[in-house]
């Protein structure tokens, strides 16, 4: 495509966008943030000044139409992802959108169809997939170090006296499942693929927001997974894959680790893998490489996984009784 230094537009100015934009600075020869959009001009201007971004807009459409960006990063609350990503893809602007990319699998399939129609790159920002430690662990699994995986255990639960408003607001896609549960689900999916059977239970508050969720997966291979997420307890926040020859274990904050443990008949080894930054530049770099290759899909962030995991989220929410106002949004017409 002739893209040298990839020009990034940042949509939204909250914490996740701040972290991502900081990490873009670790790729000075590869990427540069050239524009930002927020709901207000003041917010956009302050973010632009803090990060040395030359163009600031009070509407994402203005950013998309500016001609100043090759790709946008979407860091808004979940329900806004679908419309923003679709607008960009139809305009031929590549998209890296925070997870989950949409509220439903149907919406994600629509975005992939639009990306395919317009030959424009689209990816879910599941940064865990591009983490070097995670990639090294799954290379071990693929090499058969622990044999065929039989059990996966993963949890992503935390508690704060005052939770951010968005986590408790159904209109913003609140709850533990969409914000945190997607990590254990993605980890189990990477290890075992899509399950043949899923069972879920959950505890909801009076607004219908999930505060505690437990999931059990069964696979045709005989493998099982036990996954939890929540907003009411301080959990170990760890993950492991076990097989007949041993286990591979990730420590606290398993979605952003600095090492893992490999346990086999030879004993337990701590495997340290060099990482730097906050971890978001790995996905940004993968997007840049895919853009230069003229791809519409980032190999490390596959479309099929995005859709299938959202399908699993759909089914989990159906079983525990969680619905969002934007579930039925369909922009394909």
């Amino acid at each position: 495509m002739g893209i040298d230094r990839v020009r990034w537009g940042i949509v939204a100015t909250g914490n996740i966008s701040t972290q991502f934009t900081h990490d873009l600075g670790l790729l000075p020869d590869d990427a540069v943030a050239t524009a930002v959009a927020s709901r207000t001009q003041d917010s956009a201007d302050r973010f632009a000044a803090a990060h040395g971004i030359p163009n600031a807009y009070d509407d994402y459409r203005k950013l998309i139409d500016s001609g100043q960006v090759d790709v946008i990063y979407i860091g808004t609350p979940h329900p806004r992802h679908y419309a923003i990503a679709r607008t960009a893809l139809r305009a031929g602007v590549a998209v890296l959108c925070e997870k989950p990319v949409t509220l439903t699998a149907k919406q994600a399939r629509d975005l992939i169809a639009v990306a395919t129609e317009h030959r424009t790159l689209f990816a879910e920002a599941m940064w865990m997939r591009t983490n070097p430690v995670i990639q090294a662990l799954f290379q071990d699994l693929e090499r058969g170090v622990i044999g065929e995986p039989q059990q996966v255990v993963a949890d992503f639960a935390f508690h704060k006296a005052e939770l951010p408003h968005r986590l408790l607001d159904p209109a913003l896609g609140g709850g533990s499942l969409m914000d945190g549960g997607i990590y254990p689900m993605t980890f189990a999916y990477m290890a075992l693929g899509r399950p043949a059977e899923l069972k879920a239970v959950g505890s909801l508050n009076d607004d219908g927001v999930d505060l505690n969720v437990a999931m059990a997966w069964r696979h045709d291979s005989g493998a099982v997974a036990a996954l939890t997420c929540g907003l009411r307890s301080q959990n170990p926040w760890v993950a492991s894959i076990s097989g007949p020859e041993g286990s591979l274990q990730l420590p606290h904050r398993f979605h952003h680790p600095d090492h893992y443990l490999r346990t086999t008949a030879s004993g337990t080894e701590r495997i340290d893998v060099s990482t730097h930054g906050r971890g978001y530049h790995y996905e940004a770099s993968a997007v840049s490489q895919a853009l230069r290759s003229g791809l519409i899909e980032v190999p490390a962030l596959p479309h099929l996984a995005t859709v299938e995991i959202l399908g699993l989220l759909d089914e989990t929410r159906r079983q525990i009784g969680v619905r969002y106002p934007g579930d039925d949004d369909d922009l394909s017409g």
Side-chain angles (χ1 to χ4, degrees):
M1 293 182 65
I3 296 175
D4 186 13
R5 197 177 186 210
V6 175
R7 301 173 303 165
W8 285 83
I10 310 299
V11 179
T13 55
N15 179 63
I16 191 70
S17 293
T18 298
Q19 302 295 323
F20 181 85
T21 305
H22 172 276
D23 267 14
L24 279 183
L26 301 176
L27 305 170
D29 298 325
D30 186 60
V32 60
T34 55
V36 59
S38 186
R39 288 176 293 178
T40 67
Q41 191 65 51
D42 180 62
S43 177
D45 287 342
R46 283 187 280 109
F47 192 93
H51 297 280
I53 299 174
N55 302 286
Y57 304 97
D58 63 356
D59 190 293
Y60 71 85
R61 297 173 189 85
K62 295 177 182 178
L63 184 153
I64 291 168
D65 294 338
S66 69
Q68 299 295 323
V69 301
D70 303 304
V71 55
I72 63 169
Y73 167 80
I74 304 173
T76 65
H78 315 323
R80 297 190 68 209
H81 292 174
Y82 181 32
I84 297 171
R86 202 173 198 278
T87 300
L89 293 170
R90 285 172 59 87
V93 175
V95 170
L96 176 65
C97 181
E98 262 308 321
K99 51 78 191 164
V101 292
T102 53
L103 294 178
T104 68
K106 179 181 178 181
Q107 293 167 355
R109 284 193 294 269
D110 177 48
L111 291 182
I112 293 167
V114 174
T116 301
E117 177 186 355
H118 292 271
R119 297 300 303 167
T120 303
L121 183 142
F122 168 66
E124 180 177 45
M126 176 46 76
W127 66 319
M128 183 178 75
R129 283 182 169 273
T130 59
N131 181 283
V133 181
I134 298 288
Q135 292 186 337
L137 180 148
F138 279 98
Q139 287 168 7
D140 264 0
L141 184 66
E142 290 170 9
R143 287 197 298 265
V145 169
I146 64 168
E148 183 179 2
Q150 290 298 312
Q151 291 199 358
V152 171
V153 177
D155 80 85
F156 194 107
F158 61 90
H159 175 72
K160 293 181 180 180
E162 292 188 13
L163 289 165
H165 170 69
R166 67 177 180 83
L167 290 179
L168 298 174
D169 188 347
L172 297 178
S176 66
L177 187 63
M178 299 294 269
D179 202 73
I182 192 171
Y183 285 113
M185 294 175 80
T186 297
F187 183 77
Y189 180 95
M190 291 174 71
L192 302 173
R194 185 171 62 178
E197 182 180 14
L198 180 158
K199 298 291 186 182
V201 293
S203 298
L204 314 185
N205 67 10
D206 291 341
D207 294 322
V209 171
D210 55 291
L211 302 178
N212 250 340
V213 181
M215 296 161 277
W217 290 5
R218 179 189 62 80
H219 294 257
D220 287 336
S221 66
V224 296
L227 314 173
T228 56
C229 60
L231 301 172
R232 302 184 66 182
S233 57
Q234 297 290 1
N235 284 32
W237 214 340
V238 296
S240 65
I241 308 169
S242 301
E245 307 301 326
S247 66
L248 302 168
Q249 302 165 277
L250 289 166
H252 178 67
R253 294 183 62 84
F254 75 86
H255 67 307
H256 184 217
D258 60 4
H259 73 279
Y260 67 97
L261 300 178
R262 178 198 297 143
T263 300
T264 64
S266 301
T268 299
E269 302 174 77
R270 173 178 166 135
I271 311 300
D272 289 285
V273 180
S274 178
T275 62
H276 65 291
R278 291 166 169 80
Y280 297 97
H281 57 300
Y282 297 118
E283 63 184 1
S285 181
V287 167
S288 294
Q289 292 174 27
L291 269 175
R292 292 194 182 94
S293 299
L295 303 178
I296 66 169
E297 181 176 16
V298 179
L301 305 168
H303 289 167
L304 178 62
T306 292
V307 170
E308 291 195 336
I309 290 168
L310 270 164
L312 295 169
L313 283 165
D314 288 348
E315 175 59 18
T316 300
R317 289 202 290 125
R318 186 194 68 78
Q319 290 188 23
I320 66 176
V322 171
R323 280 193 57 81
Y324 299 126
D327 280 348
D328 296 324
D329 288 355
D330 183 358
L331 304 177
S332 62

